[in-house]
């Protein structure tokens, strides 16, 4: 009798776990079906999803699924996506396995991608995609061919013959219907915008009649980031709102942003002037920081493409909050995996102007090793933070919004002579202004800053905003009080940035320019970081 009762209880427990909710439909435009067991259920906003469920969208429909770990899956038009396995318990025993049967799916990995990235996989008929990043798109063509686009971080694509390719941010790779790899390629902002528009932009005529539902896309990650992490529970009191700013304002008034109590990962960008003595050159890269208030430490890495694989942070010399810390740079890992200790004096520290718990920025320096010939010195700037969910920005795009961001900037002006030697450096600080048109995914940026000896102005145009990033390489104006208009000197440069915070109202990034000084053979190299906020 006892054995029978125990078996019955176990059967009930297994049945409950098999049918437990693992996700919710947090946005739905058009019509979709939930295929569960042998039944087809009409999908609706707020529906719970279970392991083994399949979501099928129609010709002019899309659905967004938010999982318990805040993984966000957007199922595009005429697509079929299934949840093969899903378990989230805040440990490395968590796992997520999904299948793309047809169509187009965009994936932004959540906490499982951080605590157990090796157990997060998206499968197709001929390939498996693993993650080293957070944002990617998989498209399965009508004939079975597959293309994998990496919008942020990196992904690993493994075919049925156990051949793998690493696809970095800004690149994609395709496979034939037999699973044979084609050559990896890069994509332009225009190309990825076309891809996303073709597969995820749905005619407004098919959107739900209750317009507030349109903004449910943005609510789930906002509530998850500022609240307890629970999935979105639809609140009818929010239905009175008709635009995203009011929704965000309501949520923020009920749940003020506070400093994280647990370890928090911040991702971002860096720029640096590497000085080899007779050669000075700008390099860009990525920054990952883990700020842990419980131990009052900051750890992480700086990636410098085409120079070193990784620069590792060492011990924290001072820490009072995520806004104020100073940590050493400990070692360099080269492309072969060799760990090379750095001499003392190398550091990464915050700017004194930090005020946000989801954003931090500052300067960093790698000093040269006197015992290694040609070892470069590097000095630069960085930004990092909690990145804005793409769904929030997509809501701005669907609402055809334009936002004006204003803020500050700081950095350095460096003089390099005709022989490539760095002959002078001056620090600067000033203002930043960025205008972003979300409807067209374009922006312009203007900076005004001063040194003890000069004042500068710099403007970027033809900027592209997509996949939570800003990028611009066209300089329309560059001048200084002492040197005059230098635009005719054909200055070159770049700006890179990201959106931070739950509402996308903070942007931060780095920029640099290089130009010949008029009537001189010397050059000016400017580099700096910026932060700006929208009202």
């Amino acid at each position: 009798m006892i054995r029978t009762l125990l078996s019955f209880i176990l059967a009930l427990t297994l049945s409950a776990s098999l049918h437990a909710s693992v996700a919710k439909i947090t946005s739905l435009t058009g019509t979709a079906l939930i295929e569960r067991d042998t039944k087809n259920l009409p999908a609706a906003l707020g529906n719970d999803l279970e392991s083994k469920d399949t979501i099928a969208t129609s010709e002019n429909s899309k659905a967004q699924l938010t999982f318990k770990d805040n993984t966000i899956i957007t199922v595009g038009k005429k697509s079929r996506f299934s949840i093969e396995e899903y378990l989230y318990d805040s440990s490395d025993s968590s796992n997520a396995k999904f299948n793309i049967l047809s169509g187009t799916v965009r994936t932004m990995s959540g906490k499982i991608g951080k605590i157990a990235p090796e157990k997060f996989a998206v499968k197709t008929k001929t390939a498996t995609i693993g993650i080293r990043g957070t944002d990617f798109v998989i498209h399965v063509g009508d004939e079975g061919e597959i293309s994998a686009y990496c919008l942020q971080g990196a992904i690993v694509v493994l075919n049925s013959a156990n051949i793998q390719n690493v696809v970095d941010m800004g690149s994609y790779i395709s496979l034939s219907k037999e699973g044979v790899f084609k050559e990896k390629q890069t994509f332009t902002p225009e190309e990825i915008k076309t891809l996303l528009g073709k597969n995820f932009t749905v005619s407004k005529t098919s959107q739900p009649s209750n317009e507030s539902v349109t903004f449910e896309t943005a609510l789930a990650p906002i509530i998850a980031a500022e609240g307890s992490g629970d999935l979105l529970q639809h609140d009818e009191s929010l239905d009175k709102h008709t635009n995203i700013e009011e929704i965000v304002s309501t949520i923020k008034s009920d749940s003020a942003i506070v400093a994280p109590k647990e370890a928090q990962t911040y991702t971002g960008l860096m720029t640096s002037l590497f000085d080899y003595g007779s050669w000075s050159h700008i390099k860009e890269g990525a920054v990952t920081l883990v700020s842990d208030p419980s131990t009052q430490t900051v750890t992480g890495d700086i990636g410098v493409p085409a120079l070193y694989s990784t620069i590792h942070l060492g011990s924290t010399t001072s820490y009072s909050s995520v806004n104020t810390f100073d940590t050493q740079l400990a070692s360099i890992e080269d492309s072969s995996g060799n760990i090379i200790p750095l001499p003392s004096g190398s550091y990464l520290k915050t700017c004194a102007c930090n005020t946000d718990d989801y954003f931090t920025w500052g300067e960093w320096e790698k000093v040269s090793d006197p015992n290694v010939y040609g070892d470069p010195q590097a000095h630069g700037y960085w930004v990092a933070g909690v990145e804005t969910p793409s769904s929030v920005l997509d809501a701005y795009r669907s609402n055809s919004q334009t936002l004006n961001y204003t803020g500050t900037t700081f950095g350095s002006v460096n003089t390099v002579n005709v022989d490539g030697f760095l002959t002078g450096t001056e620090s600067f600080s000033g203002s930043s202004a960025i205008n972003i048109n979300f409807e067209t995914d374009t922006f312009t940026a203007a900076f005004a800053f001063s040194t003890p000896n000069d004042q500068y102005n710099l403007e970027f145009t033809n900027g592209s905003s997509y996949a939570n990033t800003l990028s611009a390489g066209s300089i329309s104006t560059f001048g200084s009080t002492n040197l005059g208009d230098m635009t005719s000197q054909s200055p070159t440069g770049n700006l890179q940035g990201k959106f931070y915070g739950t509402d996308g109202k903070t942007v931060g990034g780095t920029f640099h320019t290089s130009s010949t000084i008029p009537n001189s053979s010397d050059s000016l190299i400017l580099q700096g970081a910026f932060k700006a906020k929208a009202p």
Side-chain angles (χ1 to χ4, degrees):
M1 179 69 179
I2 294 177
R3 180 177 298 176
T4 302
L5 180 61
L6 288 175
S7 298
F8 178 71
I9 293 173
L10 178 61
L12 286 178
T13 302
L14 290 173
S15 175
S17 64
L18 285 173
H19 297 283
S21 172
V22 300
K24 282 185 180 291
I25 298 178
T26 50
S27 178
L28 177 63
T29 305
T31 58
L33 290 176
I34 302 172
E35 300 173 7
R36 179 175 299 159
D37 297 327
T38 59
K39 298 179 181 179
N40 289 332
L41 309 173
L45 185 68
N47 277 168
D48 289 320
L49 298 175
E50 304 171 359
S51 288
K52 308 302 181 183
D53 280 356
T54 294
I55 303 295
T57 57
S58 62
E59 179 70 37
N60 198 30
S61 304
K62 66 176 180 180
Q64 186 180 76
L65 324 177
T66 302
F67 288 77
K68 286 187 173 181
D69 70 321
N70 288 333
T71 289
I72 297 175
I73 306 285
T74 304
V75 183
K77 302 176 183 179
K78 203 176 179 181
S79 302
R80 294 184 72 235
F81 168 85
S82 70
I83 307 167
E84 181 179 325
E85 293 180 29
Y86 184 87
L87 172 66
Y88 174 61
D89 61 3
S90 301
S91 74
D92 58 9
S93 63
S94 302
N95 73 82
K97 294 181 180 179
F98 306 118
N99 285 306
I100 302 175
L101 307 172
S102 62
T104 310
V105 171
R106 181 173 181 177
T107 300
M108 290 187 64
S109 63
K111 294 178 182 177
I112 292 178
K114 296 178 180 178
I115 62 178
E118 72 283 356
K119 297 181 180 179
F120 190 107
V122 178
K123 298 180 180 179
T124 68
K125 185 176 180 180
T126 58
T128 299
I129 295 88
I131 61 168
R132 294 181 185 174
T134 59
D135 193 352
F136 58 95
V137 175
I138 306 299
H139 175 72
V140 179
D142 295 338
E143 301 299 323
E145 68 279 9
I146 297 166
S147 294
Y149 300 78
C150 184
L151 277 60
Q152 190 171 30
I155 57 176
V156 180
V157 183
L158 180 71
N159 69 4
S160 54
N162 286 325
I163 300 172
Q164 76 172 28
N165 270 282
V166 177
V167 182
D168 298 313
M169 182 173 69
S171 301
Y172 74 97
I173 197 165
S174 299
L175 297 86
S176 68
K177 62 181 180 180
E178 294 81 17
V180 178
F181 280 112
K182 300 180 181 179
E183 185 176 355
K184 184 165 56 178
Q185 300 183 58
T186 59
F187 57 76
T188 66
E190 290 75 18
E191 288 171 338
I192 197 66
K193 187 190 300 183
T194 299
L195 173 76
L196 297 178
K198 179 180 178 181
N199 294 284
F200 294 102
T201 300
V202 175
S203 170
K204 291 185 178 181
T205 59
S206 67
Q207 293 194 10
S209 58
N210 182 352
E211 191 172 351
S212 68
V213 172
T214 305
F215 300 111
E216 297 292 348
T217 303
L219 286 176
I222 291 173
I223 291 177
E226 296 191 3
S228 63
D230 293 335
L231 289 171
L232 171 67
Q233 301 293 326
H234 182 63
D235 185 353
E236 293 182 357
S237 67
L238 294 177
D239 288 348
K240 64 181 180 294
H241 298 299
T242 58
N243 62 65
I244 189 68
E245 289 91 345
E246 290 180 310
I247 293 177
V248 172
S249 175
T250 300
I251 295 172
K252 291 183 70 174
S253 66
D254 295 336
S255 178
I257 298 175
V258 296
K261 300 296 188 297
E262 299 178 352
Q264 175 67 58
T265 299
Y266 295 83
T267 57
L269 307 160
M270 78 86 189
T271 184
S272 184
L273 179 66
F274 281 82
D275 180 22
Y276 293 81
S278 62
W279 182 65
S280 299
H281 192 70
I282 289 284
K283 291 287 185 182
E284 297 174 335
V287 175
T288 301
L289 304 176
V290 179
S291 172
D292 192 343
S294 65
T295 58
Q296 295 193 341
T297 59
V298 172
T299 57
D301 301 310
I302 302 173
V304 189
L307 190 65
Y308 302 112
S309 175
T310 306
I311 299 176
H312 299 293
L313 274 63
S315 59
T316 306
T317 55
S318 66
Y319 183 105
S320 60
S321 71
V322 66
N323 293 331
T324 308
F325 65 82
D326 184 351
T327 187
Q328 299 174 357
L329 300 184
S331 61
I332 289 175
E333 181 178 350
D334 65 20
S335 57
S336 300
N338 300 312
I339 303 298
I340 306 167
L342 282 173
S344 61
S346 300
Y347 65 86
L348 180 144
K349 63 182 180 181
T350 55
C351 171
C353 45
N354 274 344
T355 57
D356 294 326
D357 294 316
Y358 53 76
F359 180 91
T360 184
W361 60 329
E363 62 178 327
W364 71 283
E365 182 169 359
K366 171 202 168 294
V367 301
S368 57
D369 189 339
N371 299 315
V372 178
Y373 176 78
D375 187 40
Q377 175 136 346
H379 180 259
Y381 306 91
W382 59 272
V383 300
V386 180
E387 295 184 34
T388 303
S390 294
S391 54
V392 174
L393 304 177
D394 289 341
Y396 288 149
R397 294 182 179 106
S398 65
N399 206 30
S400 302
Q401 286 195 251
T402 297
L403 293 179
N404 296 309
Y405 297 75
T406 57
T408 56
T409 182
F410 73 104
S412 61
V413 180
N414 309 279
T415 305
V416 178
N417 67 17
V418 67
D419 295 320
F421 286 89
L422 184 64
T423 59
T425 297
E426 288 186 297
S427 297
F428 68 71
S429 61
S431 62
S432 61
I434 300 174
N435 174 276
I436 301 178
N437 185 328
F438 285 92
E439 182 178 11
T440 60
D441 270 347
T442 59
F443 74 94
T444 58
F447 304 95
F449 44 84
S450 61
T451 69
N453 298 311
D454 208 349
Q455 293 184 339
Y456 295 85
N457 61 85
L458 175 65
E459 294 182 5
F460 288 89
T461 56
N462 302 319
S464 295
S465 167
Y466 72 101
N468 203 27
T469 64
L470 304 174
S471 61
S474 178
I475 299 173
S476 61
T477 303
F478 180 38
S480 73
T481 301
N482 294 333
L483 300 174
D485 184 4
M486 299 174 63
T487 307
S488 61
Q489 303 297 109
S490 300
T492 60
N494 186 43
L495 175 151
Q496 54 176 0
K498 291 179 179 290
F499 295 85
Y500 294 103
T502 54
D503 58 4
K505 295 295 185 68
T506 296
V507 294
T510 61
F511 65 93
H512 66 81
T513 68
S514 179
S515 179
T516 303
I517 299 174
N519 304 314
S520 172
S521 57
D522 292 351
S523 298
L524 279 185
I525 296 179
L526 281 68
Q527 59 165 341
F530 66 90
K531 173 191 175 183
K533 294 180 69 69

